[in-house]
Amino acid sequence: MGLIVKTSARAIIPLIGIFGTYIVAHGHLTPGGGFQGGATIAGAGVLFLVAFGLNEMRKHYNKHLYSALEGLGGLAFLGAAMLGIGTAFFYNTLWHNGPILNGKPGTLLSAGFLPIMNLAVGLKVFTGLVSALVAIAMYRRWKS
Amino acid sequence: MNAEAILPYLIIIPLFGAFSMPIVSLAGKKAREAWAVIISGATLVVASALFYHVWDTKEIIVYTLGAKTPFGQGVDFPIRIVWEVDLFSAIMALTVAFVSFVTVIYSIDYMKHDTGLDKYYTLILVLELGMLGIAITGDLFNFYVFLEIMSIASYALVAFRNDTWEGIEAGIKYMFVGSIASSFVLLGIALLYGQYGTLTMGYLAIKLLQNPTVTAKVALALFIAGLLFKSGAAPVHMWLADAHPAAPSSISAMLSGLVIKVGGIYALARILFSIYSPLGNKILEVYHQPYINMSAVGWVIIIFACLTLIIGNAMAVIQTDMKRLLAYSSVGQIGYILLGLGIGLTAYGSHTGEVALAGAIYHTVNHALMKALLFLVAGAVIHEVGTRNLNELSGLAKTMPKTTFAFLIGAAAIVGLPPLNGFASKWLIYESSAIYNPVLGAIAIIGTAFCTAAYVRVLYTFFGRPSEKIANAKDPETSMMLPMFLLVLAIVVMGLFPWQISDKVMIPAARMLEQFNFEYIKALISLAGGA
């Protein structure tokens, strides 16, 4: 892409990333959550891929790392769901018993395991979407 | 042993295995294979414990996610996701876990020439997870989510060998047909939710009986249409005949043995008997209230069953591709199961209906075992000889004797020879269909005649004069023979005690499914009044 696009992308990618992180982190307070925020951050990845091209993306993208992070996101979600297994699967023990994340409703640290799950889903969606799009972008060539 | 405490591990263990697979596979090839075997083995242990508990106590287990009770504070209706496990669910869960375990072992050597195997093992565990979820869930939307998990994993696995044209073609066909079918199911769920405002199956059954509207009938039609697609019933069986031959054989074994049964037959039975309670509608009819005519629904299923029986088995006779023959035979066997299910619904409340339903459940399990065995054998033959064309495979008995023996057992079981397990389940279906309506019995017998012709043809090929193509073939290595041996063992052992299994397991399962006492609803309501 041209110089204007690259320069604007340099400015915008961090903003998209920060906004996406905001959506993930405030999933329990405002509209949005893990999927929406993760997809937004993946949008930053797509902008990077489109603006700087596939060769630049190859240098910054590690298949194993992204694959492992995606698995880690799933494991974190499952781990949060299992915290209250003594009562029931998905029992929100952090909210009912603490020690953390059981603040006054409406504050950031208030929803039990929900912020953890939002972060996990956000990580999974971001790594998954970026991996899928890079894999498609790298797909051999146009003819066979 | 507390069954409620172990039930979530049926989901947690495969989910944990699937999520950790990308991390474990960084440690290398051996680690991920060992991990897949450990995870599916642990799932089998949990499923066996669950099955034993449900069979032993004859009670329906209700498990609530997120709290002790599904009922919210101050409201008298369930607001949380519940999992309800009756004996039929437990039987399906055990079958799924067993067949998945043997196919994972089989995959180690069968798939070793392919690439991208960390994705393969993740997908196979996700497929198992989706099927276990369908079997245990008692929530309609949760059911849909697990149905999609299962379907999407199976689309990806059918097209796993993406360097072959047939894998891609079958994958696309399966994906299009399957997505349409899933959207039918989702539309049905949306209609029911809009009309009755609940998604819990047991509570939805109560609401439906209070007010059986036209919406409920439309939703039922959508469910039946979507789930007949998924089970590969007659007019919409084409995807199955393409998908099963194109998939890797270990996946064909899971697709044919499990996916079409759990996603099609089991889900259909659960919706027909647990949500659209036939007993409740009968009572409404007696009191001249609006009702849903479930025996008409049963006839619709019987018509599709008869079509499926004839078309599936007749098409199996003329195939020259070994796996395509097995795929059409699966369509034919689905016809028997649907026939049992349909008679169980039309003859609801009579002994005949109960026997038919027990036969359908029994045949579901038996066919899962024997069709898994047959596809694993087909995989071994392809692995060793490199062709699926029956015309080139003559004389295989000389060079691959153990594999041929396994095929012989599987073929004899699927035709229904007495010392093996297929006999008892088919007998129950023949008996009940002949008592209910002799024409249906005759159709079932004609189907078996075609089925016998198809398998005798294959065996005739196997025992013929050796062709030069198979001169260098030999029996596959132990890790591929062991799964076949386990399945042969299961078939023979189940064949030795057919009536004991029928009386002790299948008839109680059918009785719990028919819910003459509204057991499924009562199990849910009994949790009301908790915290």
Side-chain angles (χ1 to χ4, degrees), chain B residues 140 143-144 147 180-190 219 222-227 230 271:
Chain B
L140 206 48
F143 156 70
Y144 176 74
L147 186 76
I180 293 171
S182 302
S183 63
F184 280 4
V185 174
L186 184 62
L187 192 54
I189 293 172
L222 287 167
F223 284 140
I224 290 176
L227 295 174
K230 293 268 174 197
I271 284 172

Side-chain angles (χ1 to χ4, degrees), chain A residues 63-64 67-68 71-72 74-75 78 82 85-92 124, chain B residues 8-9 11-12 15-16 19-20 22-23 26 63-68 83 119:
Chain A
K63 186 181 147 212
H64 294 295
S67 197
L72 197 68
L75 287 177
L78 189 63
M82 281 189 69
I85 193 81
T87 306
F89 192 35
F90 277 98
Y91 177 70
N92 196 341
K124 195 168 169 56
Chain B
Y9 290 97
I11 297 299
I12 292 170
L15 204 56
F16 177 68
F19 283 153
S20 54
I23 299 166
L26 293 177
Y63 185 86
T64 312
L65 277 81
K68 286 275 185 214
W83 287 341
K119 304 286 184 292

Side-chain angles (χ1 to χ4, degrees), chain B residues 203-225:
Chain B
Y203 191 64
L204 190 58
I206 301 175
K207 300 297 271 183
L208 261 168
L209 290 178
Q210 286 168 355
N211 181 18
T213 54
V214 179
T215 317
K217 292 180 191 172
V218 174
L220 180 58
L222 287 167
F223 284 140
I224 290 176

Side-chain angles (χ1 to χ4, degrees), chain A residues 28 83 92-105 107-117 119:
Chain A
H28 52 295
L83 283 176
N92 196 341
T93 188
L94 287 181
W95 167 245
H96 290 284
N97 306 318
I100 47 160
L101 294 172
N102 58 347
K104 195 163 157 291
T107 58
L108 192 60
L109 300 177
S110 69
F113 61 30
L114 277 188
I116 304 174
M117 283 185 169
L119 287 172

